[in-house]
Amino acid sequence: MPDAFGAALLIARKDLAIEFRTRTAFFSAVVFALLAIVIFFFAWDPTAVAASDLAPGVLWVIFTFSGLLGLHRSFGVELADRALDGLLGAPVPRHAIYLGKAMANLVFVLAIEVIAVPAVALFYDMPLGGARGVAALAALLILAAIGLVAVGTLFAAMSVNTRLGELLLPMLSLPFFVPIVIPAAQTTARLLAGRPVAESIGWIKILLAFDLVFVAACTMAFPYTIED
Amino acid sequence: MSTPIASHAGRPAARATFDWLFVVAALLVVATFIRAIYFTPVEALQGPAQKIYYVHPPSAWVAFLAFGIVAVASIGYLWMKDLRLDRLAESSAEVGVVFTTITLMTGSLWGKPIWGTWWTWDARLTSTLFLWFIYVGYLILRGAIEEPGMRARYSAVLGILGSLLIPFIHLSVYLFRTLHPMPIIGKPSKPSLPNDMLETFLMAFFSFTVLYAALLRARYRLATDQAALEAEEGR
């Protein structure tokens, strides 16, 4: 097990190094997130709905869509020069490839959030509720990101090999993000309204269960998507 | 039931064109509708609108049955790598999408007179809509891959994950809110439906299930013929 985990870390480091040196996907995902945050504001009548009421919904819709941008890239980069074949030929278990890709994607998605959340707070006048509020929101973001990345990494591996390519990824993934976005948005709204965490415990349990089930299921399913 | 023609690389034209199972299913469904319309009492509160009860829940049942079979066939495929199981999953998914569409449409028709709206974000409506999206996505995924082995593996993975997703979607939209009546037949005490209505209802379940079997068989034969033709072209 330490061997597979070590290999996964190496793969994650490789992906993050590529991303850090080119920064193309990251910047476009961040600019996309900022643009979407701004455009969403004009979709509602500001005299009827307070901006701070919109904030949780906007935050989670943007979280999902900007996450998808990064997920597609994670297997897209392996297409050039048939790099994936090299990865598959390496003496590492298939699960390690999946876990490595997923870890790199997790860092990618969370890095976007580090910029997107303060932007939503700024543009939508979202009260973060001090250090405790920020900590609770951060924990929620990590829980949601784990589920999103678990499913998204698997579907990204599948969709790069199809005729539809990146078009297929959102179509397959979005239904799977429903049990992430609903609990996350509901919990965020309650947290921002200053309600105790205990009130959202049911939602948090759904998120936890989703993470457990889909991390396990997708790790088991991944080897079937790259067989030759 | 099984024709010997299908096994030796297919001569589709040689198969008998008379689909007896489909004829039986169609007759059963027609008989159910005649009984539901003419020989089952009109419900006191809802009036004739309640007749859609003999279409809506049976369609939903068939949709669930169909997607359950997709999941089982998908697990079977990843285990045994038998392309016949993949074709079974494909056929069942397609029939299931048809019945999910019927469920959504009849539900909408029923909702208008009784709830006063074509659509509401009730838990079961929302779950059914997402069910529809998952398996439409499944069919689109199949259409986007040429190579049969890869198509079978990818769709099996999605077929299994989709069935794992359904309880999560249901739970999260249920906590969001619900309008649907609580179950009135499958409850622990006696079913609170008059006997003649219950009999028509059960007859509808039966005839829809036979219809599902007939459509599944017809679609499976088509898939077998397609695979045989593809194999011939590839040669």
Side-chain angles (χ1 to χ4, degrees):
Chain A
M1 192 58 205
D3 209 9
F5 191 71
L9 278 180
L10 269 179
I11 291 167
R13 231 176 71 189
K14 164 192 86 73
D15 274 18
L16 290 172
I18 293 175
E19 187 48 45
F20 186 72
R21 285 179 195 150
T22 58
R23 293 191 192 90
T24 45
F26 184 69
F27 277 135
S28 52
V30 165
V31 172
F32 167 82
L34 293 176
L35 261 174
I37 289 169
V38 172
I39 289 171
F40 262 111
F41 184 80
F42 296 101
W44 281 277
D45 177 0
T47 59
V49 191
S52 57
D53 289 342
L54 293 179
V58 172
L59 182 69
W60 289 101
V61 169
I62 286 164
F63 169 82
T64 328
F65 283 89
S66 53
L68 282 173
L69 280 180
L71 290 169
H72 181 256
R73 171 210 52 96
S74 87
F75 283 90
V77 294
E78 303 291 353
L79 286 182
D81 304 322
R82 302 181 61 98
L84 191 61
D85 290 352
L87 207 52
L88 295 182
V92 296
R94 300 275 151 103
H95 304 108
I97 300 177
Y98 170 78
L99 287 176
K101 287 281 179 189
M103 282 192 280
N105 286 336
L106 189 65
V107 172
F108 184 91
V109 170
L110 288 174
I112 297 172
E113 291 316 303
V114 168
I115 296 172
V117 173
V120 172
L122 170 71
F123 289 131
Y124 289 78
D125 197 17
M126 182 172 84
L128 287 174
R132 269 194 68 218
V134 171
L137 190 59
L140 189 62
L141 276 164
I142 291 170
L143 271 186
I146 290 173
L148 177 129
V149 159
V151 176
T153 304
L154 180 75
F155 287 159
M158 281 163 58
S159 58
V160 286
N161 288 319
T162 67
R163 271 188 296 162
L164 291 173
E166 64 262 56
L167 266 179
L168 200 60
L169 180 60
M171 205 159 39
L172 296 181
S173 311
L174 285 175
F176 284 82
F177 295 164
V178 170
I180 301 175
V181 168
I182 295 178
Q186 294 293 318
T187 309
T188 310
R190 280 177 179 73
L191 286 177
L192 295 185
R195 301 297 231 338
V197 179
E199 217 171 83
S200 311
I201 208 75
W203 290 119
I204 293 169
K205 277 184 188 162
I206 295 184
L207 271 179
L208 270 173
F210 184 94
D211 287 358
L212 282 174
V213 168
F214 281 94
V215 168
C218 294
T219 309
M220 284 194 280
F222 180 75
Y224 292 107
T225 66
I226 50 172
E227 256 172 43
D228 35 19
Chain B
M1 183 112 165
S2 71
T3 39
I5 303 108
S7 54
H8 66 83
R11 274 276 169 272
R15 181 178 297 136
T17 45
F18 184 77
D19 190 343
W20 59 268
L21 186 59
F22 185 75
V23 174
V24 170
L27 286 175
L28 275 172
V29 170
V30 169
T32 307
F33 287 170
I34 291 175
R35 188 187 151 108
I37 293 169
Y38 296 106
F39 301 99
T40 307
V42 174
E43 208 260 346
L45 291 175
Q46 301 192 4
Q50 180 266 346
K51 298 286 187 196
I52 211 161
Y53 183 56
Y54 305 111
V55 181
H56 181 69
S59 308
W61 146 249
V62 169
F64 270 101
L65 174 68
F67 297 142
I69 287 179
V70 173
V72 172
S74 299
I75 293 170
Y77 175 78
L78 289 186
W79 186 19
M80 293 185 273
K81 294 286 156 69
D82 186 336
L83 277 172
R84 282 179 300 183
L85 284 167
D86 175 56
R87 294 200 278 271
L88 178 66
E90 175 190 24
S91 311
S92 195
E94 212 168 292
V95 179
V97 166
V98 170
F99 278 94
T100 313
T101 311
I102 294 173
T103 308
L104 285 169
M105 286 170 63
T106 53
S108 199
L109 288 174
W110 198 2
K112 183 61 185 168
I114 304 306
W115 291 341
T117 176
W118 296 108
W119 184 264
T120 169
W121 293 102
D122 158 73
R124 274 194 252 172
L125 264 78
T126 315
S127 305
T128 312
L129 182 63
F130 279 111
L131 197 66
W132 189 85
F133 278 124
I134 296 168
Y135 290 95
V136 167
Y138 175 92
L139 294 178
I140 293 172
L141 172 71
R142 297 194 66 97
I145 308 170
E146 304 262 342
E147 205 267 303
M150 187 199 246
R151 184 168 58 211
R153 277 186 284 116
Y154 281 21
S155 37
V157 166
L158 185 60
I160 295 167
L161 290 183
S163 67
L164 288 178
L165 176 66
I166 293 165
F168 280 103
I169 290 196
H170 192 75
L171 193 61
S172 43
V173 295
Y174 188 83
L175 278 177
F176 202 76
R177 60 180 168 181
T178 194
L179 243 187
H180 253 90
M182 288 298 115
I184 55 172
I185 291 176
K187 63 182 186 183
S189 51
K190 233 178 123 228
S192 48
L193 203 64
N195 268 340
D196 36 7
M197 281 187 176
L198 182 63
E199 277 161 23
T200 310
F201 187 63
L202 294 177
M203 186 174 162
F205 264 74
F206 177 71
S207 58
F208 271 58
T209 309
V210 176
L211 181 63
Y212 164 71
L215 291 172
L216 181 68
R217 195 175 74 138
R219 182 62 185 79
Y220 180 79
R221 285 176 164 180
L222 177 66
T224 310
D225 290 349
Q226 275 172 340
L229 278 174
E230 270 171 32
E232 224 159 82
E233 274 166 23
R235 225 179 281 145

